[in-house]
Amino acid sequence: MSVELDEIEEAEVELEEWLVEQAENGVPEIVLIGLLRAYADDIEHLGYVPRMWGGSER
């Protein structure tokens, strides 16, 4: 599956906006970093992004 550059840029902007929103709502940056690292580790381990995140994957 080919991903267009504009789709990557759009996903990046959406993630940045979500991160800013969370930080503005008082979520500490260290918590956001931990979440991103944990999800990145899970995705790397699985080799794909699960379409549903449940208790059994985490």
Side-chain angles (χ1 to χ4, degrees), residues 27-45:
V27 178
E29 278 80 355
I30 194 71
V31 171
L32 296 170
I33 291 167
L35 286 171
L36 290 170
R37 285 185 177 148
Y39 277 103
D41 288 346
D42 288 347
I43 293 166
E44 184 176 32
H45 173 75

Side-chain angles (χ1 to χ4, degrees), residues 14-33:
E14 289 177 7
L15 177 58
E16 289 171 351
E17 290 172 350
W18 182 84
L19 288 168
V20 168
E21 181 181 326
Q22 299 313 303
E24 288 176 343
N25 287 330
V27 178
E29 278 80 355
I30 194 71
V31 171
L32 296 170
I33 291 167

